[in-house]
Amino acid sequence: MNVKRLIAGTAGLAMLASFAAAVPASADKLEDLKAQGFARVAIANEPPFTAVAADGKVSGAAPDVAREVFKRLGVEDIVASISEYGAMIPGLQAGRHDVVTAGLFMKPERCAAVAYSEPVLCDAEALLVKKGNPKGFKSYQDIANDQTATVGAPGGGTEEKLALDAGVPRDRVIVVPDGQSGLKMVQDGRIDAYSLPVLSINALVQQANDPNLEVIAPVEGAPVYCDGAAFKKGDEALRDAFDVELAKLKESGEFAKLIEPYGFSAAAAMSTTREKLCAAQ
Ligand code: 6CS
């Protein structure tokens, strides 16, 4: 899918959206998507989970898996829109997206709000800090224990909640809109740490090529999370159809070929289940 159609075609998108809106919603969401010709996916543009290139092309492990699964279901393409993590589930519930394919990690409270597929992308958490880790952070607890320390994280994201749950006061957990902003805020000393999953932080550091940065990974005490494609409650039939094709991709080795070039482990996703990941910890 080329996001040029998405970016350049605001009008085009309105036309597509109106067409999508024109397609009568039926009990069979998959038939609706086939008629629509595409699935509207929410992404964050956080490589390697999701990425939008300068030319508008959407890639990243989550959209690549979703594109392949939907193609096998007879849905030709995906059309992506960028969303903050905290807005993805409300957007899905409001019908702005057909599915979230963004590395939205499975956690009990999210599992209660959406219909997740089986696991797709797993990762631990990381902290981006100045070289030498001057405040000696190893965990979110360490940040909480340092009365002056601040940590940046995506709004409504997992790292924000982990920091708050570890006792970092609200005014020391800074909502950061995207990876580049988080990187710059650490470089400029405006935050003491920026937290994202390990592969996302590594991608930022690799691109920045700044010797004055250091990655603390994994964050001690933080779980390894896995995402799934997140469907609206009520679209379980579509979710189940997605799972059938996802299982075939896993079985055939094609799943590994899709995600491992991005640094993800197919074995990690195949070693767990939605049931285990959604169970209250
Ligand atoms: O699921 C989440 O909330 C987290 N997932 C990713 C891929 N990045 C940050 C976000 O907080």
Side-chain angles (χ1 to χ4, degrees):
M1 198 282 295
N2 184 330
V3 173
K4 201 176 289 177
R5 290 210 306 262
L6 176 70
I7 295 177
T10 308
L13 197 66
M15 185 266 296
L16 282 176
S18 65
F19 170 72
V23 171
S26 72
D28 188 338
K29 178 82 178 196
L30 178 53
E31 288 311 311
D32 292 347
L33 295 185
K34 285 179 180 175
Q36 186 172 264
F38 55 87
R40 298 167 302 153
V41 304
I43 65 171
N45 192 15
E46 181 188 303
F49 287 86
T50 58
V52 181
D55 66 0
K57 191 176 180 320
V58 173
S59 64
D64 283 5
V65 169
R67 186 185 289 112
E68 184 57 31
V69 170
F70 277 116
K71 203 168 283 179
R72 293 170 181 228
L73 290 172
V75 181
E76 262 320 292
D77 206 347
I78 60 174
V79 171
S81 51
I82 294 173
S83 167
E84 191 184 69
Y85 288 99
M88 288 177 182
I89 291 179
L92 183 71
Q93 292 171 331
R96 282 194 293 279
H97 317 296
D98 297 312
V99 59
V100 176
T101 60
L104 193 72
F105 291 145
M106 287 193 225
K107 298 186 283 184
E109 63 273 22
R110 287 176 174 171
C111 294
V114 301
Y116 268 112
S117 73
E118 288 298 333
V120 178
L121 305 175
C122 303
D123 200 0
E125 298 290 356
L127 295 174
L128 177 67
V129 295
K130 290 265 197 197
K131 185 79 179 162
N133 189 13
K135 289 187 168 243
F137 296 150
K138 291 182 184 162
S139 66
Y140 297 107
Q141 191 67 51
D142 291 340
I143 298 172
N145 295 340
D146 177 331
Q147 298 306 314
T148 64
T150 53
V151 57
T158 296
E159 299 73 27
E160 179 189 51
K161 188 161 188 323
L162 287 168
L164 292 169
D165 289 352
V168 184
R170 178 69 266 186
D171 64 343
R172 295 202 278 122
V173 181
I174 312 304
V175 172
V176 177
D178 56 70
Q180 289 306 324
S181 303
L183 176 87
K184 181 116 180 47
M185 290 170 77
V186 171
Q187 289 171 318
D188 297 348
R190 285 185 283 149
I191 53 177
D192 297 306
Y194 176 53
S195 190
L196 286 178
V198 175
L199 288 170
S200 305
I201 290 286
N202 286 348
L204 281 172
V205 168
Q206 189 177 11
Q207 190 186 26
N209 192 22
D210 177 349
N212 298 314
L213 295 172
E214 184 166 334
V215 178
I216 308 300
V219 176
E220 282 182 12
V224 169
Y225 287 103
C226 298
D227 88 326
F231 295 87
K232 188 176 178 180
K233 286 279 188 196
D235 285 346
E236 283 78 4
L238 176 61
R239 187 275 311 276
D240 294 345
F242 187 97
D243 273 345
V244 167
E245 296 306 324
L246 178 60
K248 290 177 189 171
L249 288 175
K250 289 179 176 179
E251 185 60 32
S252 68
E254 289 166 280
F255 175 69
K257 286 186 189 139
L258 283 167
I259 71 169
E260 292 190 345
Y262 287 107
F264 294 97
S265 158
M270 294 165 72
S271 69
T272 188
T273 64
R274 169 178 62 241
E275 187 182 5
K276 286 179 190 165
L277 293 166
C278 288
Q281 268 107 15

